[in-house]
């Protein structure tokens, strides 16, 4: 286990250790597989950048042919995410008639996730489901839930396992809360 890391001088508190994340991902992979038609290919779409580590661990627990693609979107208006979602890197794959799972690191206000989900829906996939590692339901602005959720967490700013604080902290193996006081 990592020792008391800090970012920009702020202390971090361990909320979810690496082993617990790995264990939960094995469960999620099983639930996900059961929910799609057996033996058909599955296209995993990761939302960059935060989902890159989650996607890489999740796909290795899925025991069927898997395709992987990434999409990058930004919602911006100063420091808070807004309704304006810009696609910065689109998919390379045509998702029409495919079994698709959209994956993100965390569902917060839900703005980015909802916009990307709506965009993918217009491309007529056969099945489109959603999965997030973390869910902060208390922060939700949009009416949206994910089909598969790793962990529900309280309203704390977290880093690690792909999640960043101004681009730092993605390489931490566990999920940590940033202590701001
Ligand atoms: P929203 O759901 O549109 O508000 O935005 C979700 C995105 O905001 C996530 O994909 C993360 O990149 C980022 N985000 C939200 N909460 C946190 C957090 O606690 N730590 C790090 N990034 C976060
Ligand atoms: Mg992010």
């Amino acid at each position: 286990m990592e020792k008391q890391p800090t970012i920009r001088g702020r202390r971090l508190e361990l909320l979810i250790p690496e082993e617990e994340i790995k264990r939960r991902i094995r469960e999620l992979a099983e639930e996900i597989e059961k929910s799609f038609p057996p033996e058909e290919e599955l296209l995993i779409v990761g939302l960059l950048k935060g989902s890159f580590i989650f996607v890489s661990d999740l796909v290795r627990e899925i025991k069927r042919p898997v395709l992987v693609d990434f999409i990058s979107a930004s919602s911006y208006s100063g420091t808070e995410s807004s309704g304006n979602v810009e696609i910065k890197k689109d998919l390379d794959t045509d998702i029409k008639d495919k079994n698709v799972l959209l994956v993100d690191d965390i569902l917060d206000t839900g703005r980015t996730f909802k916009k990307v989900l709506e965009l993918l829906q217009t491309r007529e996939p056969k099945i489109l489901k959603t999965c997030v590692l973390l869910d902060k339901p208390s922060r939700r602005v949009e009416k949206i839930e994910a089909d598969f959720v790793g962990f529900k967490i309280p309203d704390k700013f977290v880093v690690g396992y792909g999640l960043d604080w101004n681009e730092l902290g993605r390489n931490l193996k566990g999920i940590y809360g940033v202590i701001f006081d």
Side-chain angles (χ1 to χ4, degrees):
M1 203 185 292
E2 292 149 311
K3 290 198 354 213
Q4 266 287 314
T6 59
I7 293 183
R8 298 192 180 90
R10 303 284 182 198
R11 285 183 303 119
L12 305 179
E13 53 171 339
L14 181 62
L15 298 180
I16 313 173
E18 182 186 5
E19 299 71 30
E20 206 177 320
I21 300 172
K22 294 273 159 76
R23 185 192 55 71
R24 183 68 184 121
I25 287 176
R26 284 194 290 273
E27 290 176 355
L28 281 175
E30 215 180 304
E31 287 174 39
I32 289 164
E33 283 213 67
K34 277 192 204 140
S35 80
F36 282 92
E39 285 163 41
E40 290 183 13
E41 273 178 9
L42 187 56
L43 170 63
I44 307 287
V45 172
L47 239 161
L48 290 174
K49 299 177 201 172
S51 73
F52 79 110
I53 293 179
F54 182 35
V55 166
S56 68
D57 279 345
L58 183 66
V59 293
R60 283 177 292 175
E61 295 297 337
I62 295 179
K63 317 276 187 265
R64 70 164 75 188
V66 157
L67 305 165
V68 182
D69 203 347
F70 290 96
I71 189 166
S72 174
S74 67
S75 68
Y76 57 95
S77 76
T79 54
E80 275 292 299
S81 81
S82 69
N84 298 330
V85 175
E86 181 197 15
I87 301 297
K88 293 198 291 188
K89 182 227 166 278
D90 205 339
L91 297 174
D92 299 325
T93 319
D94 181 5
I95 66 168
K96 188 167 163 48
D97 299 327
K98 293 216 166 63
N99 296 317
V100 180
L101 182 72
L102 176 64
V103 177
D104 204 2
D105 53 358
I106 186 166
L107 194 49
D108 188 37
T109 66
R111 286 182 172 125
T112 322
F113 204 64
K114 183 160 185 274
K115 290 281 177 178
V116 172
L117 187 63
E118 284 170 357
L119 173 69
L120 297 189
Q121 200 75 66
T122 65
R123 298 178 181 176
E124 301 177 346
K126 179 179 168 195
I127 299 172
L128 178 57
K129 296 191 179 184
T130 55
C131 175
V132 293
L133 179 67
L134 305 175
D135 185 4
K136 269 197 253 183
S138 58
R139 294 256 310 164
R140 200 81 85 252
V141 172
E142 296 289 346
K143 193 171 175 340
I144 181 168
E145 298 302 326
D147 296 309
F148 305 95
V149 174
F151 303 92
K152 280 203 180 3
I153 60 166
D155 182 13
K156 283 187 179 178
F157 192 82
V158 295
V159 293
Y161 199 78
L163 290 114
D164 69 302
W165 178 26
N166 289 342
E167 296 301 327
L168 288 179
R170 297 192 195 275
N171 58 323
L172 295 165
K173 291 181 175 177
I175 303 281
Y176 293 82
V178 181
I179 301 171
F180 284 104
D181 49 45

